[in-house]
């Protein structure tokens, strides 16, 4: 089946966008990348809302469809391109369940409390916090750090059950697409992942693969020049 180049709307620092970048890399699928500047609230501007009213990245335009939500996007890519690159979903039902369980834990419990910009601003408004709460050493960042510290032990437990060199056995897949950006996110918030032996090992192994290394926030075209 021939396809025109898919379009990925994402953001350099967005962990959810990074999940999709990794999946595309593992599958060897090229996309046209259209960055959305979250700090300038481009996600809530009419131009982007007309593409995705949910006003979040990532969004993948493919096969005439507009796909949102990183984990279902990864599953779509795997079903749509079963014979390209890496199989993202493991072969056995038990391992597929474990991969989805890990992905759900990260995507529905760990990452949402990293408080994307809109949520942070809403908290400040609702709780009447000083806008300082949004800052680098403010209450929102402290909350995120505390949440990551509280949830990383469970992620380590979930991953260590089936881990080989990657989250499930010795091949990269869906779980790694989700776990790797979460570890990068934890580091960004000043949380050390080294005490978590399995996660730290998988982090190092992933970094050695181009699909993961090329997905790093600082390597994206919309990353600020330092
Ligand atoms: N569950 C969604 C989460 C998407 C999400 O949280 N996106 C963030 C960036 S990582 C976003 O677009 N935030 C915009 C905002 O906070 O205004 C997914 O997995 O794709």
């Amino acid at each position: 089946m021939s396809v025109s180049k898919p379009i990925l709307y994402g953001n350099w620092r967005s962990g959810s966008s990074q999940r999709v970048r990794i999946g595309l890399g593992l599958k060897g699928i090229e996309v046209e990348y259209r960055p959305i500047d979250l700090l300038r609230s481009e996600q809530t501007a009419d131009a982007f809302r007309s593409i995705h009213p949910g006003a979040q990245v990532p969004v993948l335009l493919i096969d005439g469809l507009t796909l949102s939500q990183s984990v279902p996007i990864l599953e779509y890519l795997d079903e749509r391109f079963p014979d390209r690159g890496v199989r993202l979903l493991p072969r056995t039902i038990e391992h597929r369940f474990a991969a989805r369980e890990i992905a759900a834990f990260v995507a529905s419990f760990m990452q949402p409390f990293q408080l994307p910009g809109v949520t942070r601003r809403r908290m400040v408004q609702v709780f009447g916090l000083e806008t300082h709460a949004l800052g680098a050493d403010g209450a929102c960042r402290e909350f995120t750090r505390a949440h990551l510290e509280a949830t990383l032990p469970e992620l380590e437990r979930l991953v260590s059950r089936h881990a080989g060199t990657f989250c499930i056995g010795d091949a990269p897949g869906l779980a790694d697409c989700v776990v790797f950006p979460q570890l990068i996110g934890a580091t960004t918030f000043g949380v050390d992942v080294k005490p978590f032996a399995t996660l730290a090992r998988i982090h190092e192994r992933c970094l050695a693969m181009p699909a993961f290394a090329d997905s790093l926030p600082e390597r994206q075209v919309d990353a600020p020049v330092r």
Side-chain angles (χ1 to χ4, degrees), residues 9 42-55 59 61 66:
Y9 290 91
E42 278 181 5
Q43 72 278 22
T44 56
D46 289 347
F48 185 65
R49 274 196 197 273
S50 68
I51 296 157
H52 178 48
V59 168
L61 307 190
T66 303

Side-chain angles (χ1 to χ4, degrees), residues 162-177:
H162 299 284
T165 47
F166 290 95
C167 285
I168 309 286
D170 293 325
L174 177 80
D176 304 281
C177 292

Side-chain angles (χ1 to χ4, degrees), residues 11 13-20 36 38-39 41-44 48 52 54-59 68-73 107-108 111-112 114-122:
N11 174 272
R13 203 164 45 175
S14 149
S16 311
S17 304
Q18 191 181 1
R19 296 173 195 155
V20 176
I36 297 296
L38 301 179
L39 293 180
S41 298
E42 278 181 5
Q43 72 278 22
T44 56
F48 185 65
H52 178 48
Q56 280 196 323
V57 291
V59 168
S68 71
Q69 299 295 333
S70 57
V71 176
I73 291 175
S108 69
Q111 184 266 342
Q114 265 170 231
L115 304 180
V118 161
T119 317
R120 281 202 300 272
R121 286 191 285 278
R122 204 171 290 139

Side-chain angles (χ1 to χ4, degrees), residues 46-164:
D46 289 347
F48 185 65
R49 274 196 197 273
S50 68
I51 296 157
H52 178 48
Q56 280 196 323
V57 291
V59 168
L60 185 69
L61 307 190
I62 186 169
D63 298 335
L65 301 169
T66 303
L67 308 183
S68 71
Q69 299 295 333
S70 57
V71 176
I73 291 175
L74 291 168
E75 293 222 24
Y76 181 92
L77 292 173
D78 209 34
E79 281 189 42
R80 173 70 176 77
F81 303 102
D83 301 323
R84 284 189 59 170
V86 166
R87 280 290 289 264
L88 299 180
L89 266 305
R91 299 272 169 190
T92 69
I93 189 169
E94 185 194 0
H95 283 168
R96 278 197 297 282
F97 176 80
R100 289 176 173 130
E101 190 183 26
I102 292 165
F105 182 74
V106 173
S108 69
F109 190 48
M110 293 187 81
Q111 184 266 342
F113 287 99
Q114 265 170 231
L115 304 180
V118 161
T119 317
R120 281 202 300 272
R121 286 191 285 278
R122 204 171 290 139
M123 279 179 80
V124 165
Q125 224 174 7
V126 170
F127 297 122
L129 300 174
E130 299 290 327
T131 48
H132 171 72
L134 295 170
D137 55 354
C140 290
R141 193 175 162 90
E142 269 313 305
F143 173 83
T144 297
R145 209 192 331 255
H147 182 64
L148 288 169
E149 279 168 358
T151 49
L152 274 165
E154 175 61 1
L155 184 62
E156 168 76 9
R157 188 189 72 79
L158 287 173
V159 168
S160 60
R161 295 168 310 168
H162 299 284

